[in-house]
Amino acid sequence: MKTIAISGSSGFIGNSIKNSIKNNYYNFKIIEIDLKSGYDLSIWDNIKNIESFDTFIHLAAKSYVPDSYKNPKLFYDTNFATTLNALELCRKHNAKMILASSYVYGTPKYLPIDEDHPVNAFNPYAQSKLISEDLCRAYNRDFGLPVIIFRPFNIYGYGQDKNFLIPKIISDAKNGKIFLENSLPKRDFLHIDDLVEAFIKAITYEKTNYEIFNIGYGDSLSVSEITEKIIKKINKNISVSFSKNKRKNEILETKASITKAKELLNWSPRTNFESGIKKMLKKYFENDN
């Protein structure tokens, strides 16, 4: 039996991985490392005596980009300290580290974006993730620690915080009026179920001891296209308005090359956008009743 430690296990992604493992992978034991389970990963004395494990999935992080401009110190402190302590636990227990990084490429020089594309932190959150990646690289170099780094593009699914684009659109749509900012940016959206499957593949991946993978769907949709598709699924009259405000350092399009993940992890996304939205809407409206 493999023991899997998951930090941020009560969050959107962590909870989804935890539930998938509990429901489908009976040969995995889970250790939840989360504030709700009594562990603060940013404080070494609080987590140093955690029992041995085989793999650490590190998800605990501050992640909402607009907040990273309001309180950058909190983002840097939290995302650095939790990653360092996760790596130390892995070193202590001779375990593998799987880091959930982020989109760290800035304005693309080409599309689709592969793992060899130059990185370019374009906000405090992305910078904190690149610092976390550097820590992982150092622990692999100095201690031979096995590391897998995921760079997820845009993730969506039921249970995501309503500050994020798709949950906000759905929430607004239920009230009959959608208010958004810029209609033009195009993003590569991956359903949470496919992301979970990538993490499961990474747990059992042992071909090399250091790899970086882009994790996305491999296509892009604009904010206006996403809004239209959601309204079509809801099938009622909904007004849409855009303020045309632009986020600081806004990127017009992202699209992931997922060739490496397909070839090495034997992973491919299986949920297209229409199916993913249908899943989300079903759960949202079920839980309203």
Side-chain angles (χ1 to χ4, degrees):
M1 176 176 283
K2 284 183 177 288
T3 301
I4 315 300
I6 305 176
S7 69
S9 58
S10 67
F12 170 51
I13 297 173
N15 192 54
S16 299
I17 295 172
K18 177 179 66 180
N19 289 339
S20 178
I21 288 175
K22 286 181 176 179
N23 293 332
N24 302 297
Y25 299 92
Y26 302 110
N27 57 332
F28 291 166
K29 174 187 173 183
I30 297 173
I31 300 173
E32 295 190 47
I33 301 176
D34 193 280
L35 291 173
K36 290 185 178 179
S37 56
Y39 294 112
D40 185 343
L41 186 57
S42 67
I43 301 172
W44 176 248
D45 284 346
N46 191 236
I47 50 89
K48 65 182 181 182
N49 294 320
I50 283 172
E51 66 182 280
S52 180
F53 52 83
D54 300 289
T55 299
F56 194 113
I57 297 177
H58 181 34
L59 303 164
K62 296 293 181 183
S63 62
Y64 185 54
V65 172
D67 286 348
S68 75
Y69 285 103
K70 296 174 184 175
N71 196 344
K73 185 178 186 303
L74 178 64
F75 272 68
Y76 285 119
D77 282 348
T78 302
N79 294 354
F80 175 86
T82 56
T83 303
L84 180 60
N85 287 339
L87 286 164
E88 268 296 292
L89 283 173
C90 289
R91 187 173 73 90
K92 177 180 178 181
H93 295 302
N94 195 28
K96 176 165 66 179
M97 171 79 152
I98 304 174
L99 171 70
S101 185
S102 184
Y103 178 89
V104 291
Y105 300 107
T107 300
K109 296 182 182 298
Y110 55 83
L111 294 171
I113 301 163
D114 59 23
E115 291 83 358
D116 293 326
H117 188 289
V119 295
N120 180 22
F122 55 107
N123 57 55
Y125 167 64
Q127 185 69 67
S128 75
K129 284 299 187 178
L130 281 178
I131 292 169
S132 297
E133 288 191 14
D134 283 343
L135 276 174
C136 289
R137 191 175 294 109
Y139 267 71
N140 171 261
R141 178 195 66 212
D142 297 335
F143 309 110
L145 191 77
V147 171
I148 292 178
I149 293 172
F150 276 176
R151 291 175 176 165
F153 280 52
N154 288 73
I155 308 303
Y156 72 100
Y158 181 75
Q160 188 174 33
D161 190 285
K162 290 184 179 179
N163 283 319
F164 289 85
L165 178 65
I166 291 176
K168 182 187 186 311
I169 292 173
I170 293 172
S171 179
D172 284 1
K174 285 166 26 178
N175 297 321
K177 295 180 181 180
I178 298 174
F179 298 97
L180 298 169
E181 293 181 350
N182 192 348
S183 65
L184 299 178
K186 300 180 75 172
R187 296 290 183 266
D188 185 329
F189 278 93
L190 181 75
H191 191 267
I192 183 65
D193 290 352
D194 289 325
L195 178 64
V196 168
E197 184 62 26
F199 274 102
I200 300 299
K201 294 278 189 180
I203 289 170
T204 56
Y205 179 82
E206 294 179 350
K207 292 179 183 177
T208 60
N209 74 350
Y210 182 86
E211 291 290 355
I212 295 173
F213 294 101
N214 285 342
I215 305 294
Y217 189 76
D219 199 2
S220 61
L221 293 168
S222 70
V223 173
S224 59
E225 289 172 325
I226 290 164
T227 306
E228 288 170 11
K229 288 177 182 291
I230 292 173
I231 290 172
K232 187 175 180 181
K233 290 287 185 188
I234 294 175
N235 194 26
K236 73 175 187 178
N237 290 328
I238 298 166
S239 67
V240 182
S241 59
F242 295 96
S243 69
K244 298 184 180 178
N245 290 337
K246 292 184 179 180
R247 274 188 180 184
K248 188 174 181 179
N249 298 326
E250 184 70 271
I251 294 168
L252 287 181
E253 183 172 9
T254 65
K255 184 188 296 185
S257 168
I258 53 175
T259 301
K260 185 176 179 182
K262 287 179 178 180
E263 291 177 351
L264 295 186
L265 287 180
N266 192 29
W267 169 85
S268 292
R270 294 185 287 180
T271 308
N272 65 30
F273 190 76
E274 285 75 12
S275 299
I277 290 301
K278 186 176 180 181
K279 284 184 183 182
M280 279 188 77
L281 290 172
K282 185 173 186 291
K283 287 190 176 180
Y284 272 108
F285 287 105
E286 278 178 355
N287 287 306
D288 274 354
N289 298 324

